[in-house]
Amino acid sequence: MEKEFSKNKLENIDLLSINELGKIDNELTFYVADYQRGYRWESIQVIQLLKDVNENLKAKTYCLQPVMLTKKEDANHSFEVIDGQQRLTTLFIILKVLNKRGNKFQLPFTIDYATRKSCIGFLKDIEAHPFVTQKEDIEVSWDAVPDQDKNVDNYHLFSSYHTIFQWLEQAKINESDFLEKMVNDVKLIWHPVMVSESSNAKKLFRNINSGKIRLTSSDLIKALFVLHFQNLNLPLAKRNQLKTEFANQWNEIEKQLNQDSFWFFINNGENENYATRIALLFDIITNNTDSSNKYASYIKYAEGSEPLDWNKILDIFRKIHEWYTDEKYYHRIGFLVNSKKMSFSAIEDLYETHKTKPKSVFYNELEKTIENFKKSFDLSSINYKDQRFICKNVLLLYNILIFEKDFPKQKFPFDMYVNEEWSLEHIHPQNPQDFTNIDDVLFWLEDTKNTLQQKNKLLDEKLPVLEKIDAFITAAKDVNTIYNKEKKDKIREIKDLLEIEVTTHKINNLALLDKTTNSKLGNGLFKNKREIILKIDGKDEGNYVPYATVNCFLKRYTSKINLQNEFWSEADAESYLENIKTIMYGK
């Protein structure tokens, strides 16, 4: 799409190359006010920019961070730089060096300083200084600079000048092509702002540099849409109406997306690099997968490769809202996103593929993906040590499905799953080495012994590990017994034997818990864990104990004949596993 080049373009947010700036106004002056610090880019930053531009494919946009400016009222061609001085200055020096090396290009701008007057002439004529080929020679060359020009600002300008030359010397690149990239492919996000006084520009500068103001890709896209509505060939009243409707719809979408209960069924929390959550919709529309370039979606809109069609955004959002209000879609999409089986972008693509077909086709595709996950493992074999992520996803799905079964029309709390950092907890403790005193060890051994004795009855033989447990308990009953290295080695030996006899790491000894509650439980015994969990579940302590986990510690699936609340028995584990199978597989 061919751009129009008139000076009023500089009044609006735009994506501009150096060449395009020159076509709009080839007498531009960027004014650096006294509240700005001097030029401070180090060689590592300069070299990184040079490498990035060189490695960028020709004719592909390389986007720099936004340059925020305000028009100076007392000068026709002058803009005060609020943010972006370092980038503009580095571009200026690179072009100066390329010019001196025979790659002629007429710079369309100069840089002026309010208080650093010596910098004006020094930067303007920086190419008058002879190049030095070695880094260590920069200091020697600096000594030859006239005393009136020696200051810290000019030193950094001088150092960058030689760094650029030395990099070009060593890189041995096609400098003509490199110049083409510099003036055509490197784009500035031109962001003019209106300020009434110099003090306002200063305040804006401070807010930007303190992180209070961040210009996001969404902000820039929003500005493009406003300009789009403003420039439509329609009566003023109609254009104003469209802009008002757009603003209201934008605010409503952001309001909904900012509710965690809505957001975390389409985002799993790992992709929280969105400065504004509406950016996810723009990424979907523009098919953006480049997470390293936070302005990638904006570039596609600004360059016209993606048309400014607000209805596309509305359509996606309405579809997401429809899925959110239907718990069947909500739970399946939320599971696929949070288990990382599918990204939301992939789910949207799947919907687009089937949107002309009956609604059930898309739903069945979601179900099919979940069914494929359920077929990808043996529920009785998966374990915490080797398949931790699968175990977590199994219990996530189990929690969702049992929640859906027992509380129809209610939504599983994906926001709590993400924000409270749910993780796997061993129901029967796994690590006796974590105990610090002999009493805790003895309690754990008694707990474990109870579980083993049930298995012992079924097998009608005494398990070898039981003999070792009895021997340890007998020896440790002396009141002066200390939990020393010898005792710890014996417990380690018992633990290794238990790995064979007790399903410590299998799914029937695992449950989901939030991070805070998990840390409260530590490596405690079953009855102690149970007591803490039931207390939390009965109170509003800011934690949410997953419904299936509460059921597990209440032993709701254990038959009455085997019911006791002192320890997690083999019968409890088997009943729990059977319930997971029934909920997930219907058998």
Side-chain angles (χ1 to χ4, degrees), residues 385 430 494-505:
K385 276 190 170 182
Q430 62 156 330
I494 289 171
K495 180 178 179 289
D496 290 342
L497 286 169
L498 283 172
E499 293 284 336
I500 302 168
E501 304 295 348
V502 181
T503 57
T504 309
H505 296 303

Side-chain angles (χ1 to χ4, degrees), residues 81-243:
V81 180
I82 298 170
D83 186 47
Q85 177 215 159
Q86 309 291 322
R87 296 183 286 281
L88 285 170
T89 304
T90 305
L91 291 178
F92 186 86
I93 300 171
I94 291 171
L95 293 171
K96 280 280 190 180
V97 172
L98 286 167
N99 257 329
K100 184 168 180 176
R101 289 174 65 85
N103 304 283
K104 297 304 179 186
F105 175 76
Q106 183 64 45
L107 274 79
F109 65 90
T110 57
I111 299 175
D112 193 8
Y113 297 87
T115 54
R116 301 175 178 86
K117 294 300 181 185
S118 72
C119 293
I120 300 171
F122 189 84
L123 182 59
K124 181 183 176 184
D125 300 322
I126 197 166
E127 71 272 29
H129 298 279
F131 290 132
V132 293
T133 56
Q134 301 299 320
K135 188 174 182 179
E136 54 270 22
D137 292 336
I138 294 176
E139 296 297 330
V140 177
S141 183
W142 174 249
D143 288 340
V145 171
D147 288 345
Q148 66 268 23
D149 287 333
K150 283 185 177 176
N151 57 58
V152 67
D153 301 317
N154 284 348
Y155 173 79
H156 280 89
L157 296 170
F158 186 80
S159 179
S160 289
Y161 168 73
H162 287 295
T163 296
I164 294 161
F165 167 76
Q166 289 169 10
W167 183 85
L168 288 169
E169 279 285 293
Q170 293 164 13
K172 305 295 183 186
I173 60 173
N174 184 318
E175 292 185 21
S176 177
D177 286 348
F178 186 77
L179 176 64
E180 282 290 311
K181 290 182 180 182
M182 283 297 305
V183 299
N184 291 317
D185 300 340
V186 174
K187 301 285 181 78
L188 300 169
I189 297 176
W190 181 271
H191 185 216
V193 294
M194 294 288 291
V195 292
S196 55
E197 333 174 328
S198 176
S199 60
N200 286 342
K202 186 175 182 179
K203 183 179 179 182
L204 194 56
F205 167 78
R206 286 175 175 166
N207 286 339
I208 291 166
N209 283 274
S210 65
K212 291 179 182 177
I213 295 177
R214 292 179 182 174
L215 195 62
T216 67
S217 180
S218 300
D219 294 327
L220 297 166
I221 292 170
K222 186 177 185 179
L224 291 178
F225 273 108
V226 170
L227 286 171
H228 168 70
F229 291 125
Q230 188 173 298
N231 294 330
L232 289 174
N233 188 22
L234 293 170
L236 179 61
K238 181 61 178 175
R239 281 181 281 152
N240 287 340
Q241 178 190 340
L242 288 172
K243 284 193 289 183

Side-chain angles (χ1 to χ4, degrees), residues 452-504:
L452 287 170
Q453 280 174 335
Q454 282 196 342
K455 186 170 185 178
N456 200 54
K457 285 178 185 176
L458 292 170
L459 295 172
D460 196 26
E461 64 180 60
K462 186 154 187 176
L463 300 171
V465 69
L466 267 175
E467 293 179 359
K468 289 188 177 290
I469 290 174
D470 284 337
F472 187 98
I473 291 172
T474 302
K477 282 189 174 176
D478 188 324
V479 293
N480 297 317
T481 298
I482 297 170
Y483 191 42
N484 55 20
K485 184 180 184 301
E486 180 188 352
K487 293 284 188 296
K488 288 179 180 179
D489 287 342
K490 287 184 184 293
I491 286 296
R492 191 175 292 110
E493 185 181 343
I494 289 171
K495 180 178 179 289
D496 290 342
L497 286 169
L498 283 172
E499 293 284 336
I500 302 168
E501 304 295 348
V502 181
T503 57
T504 309

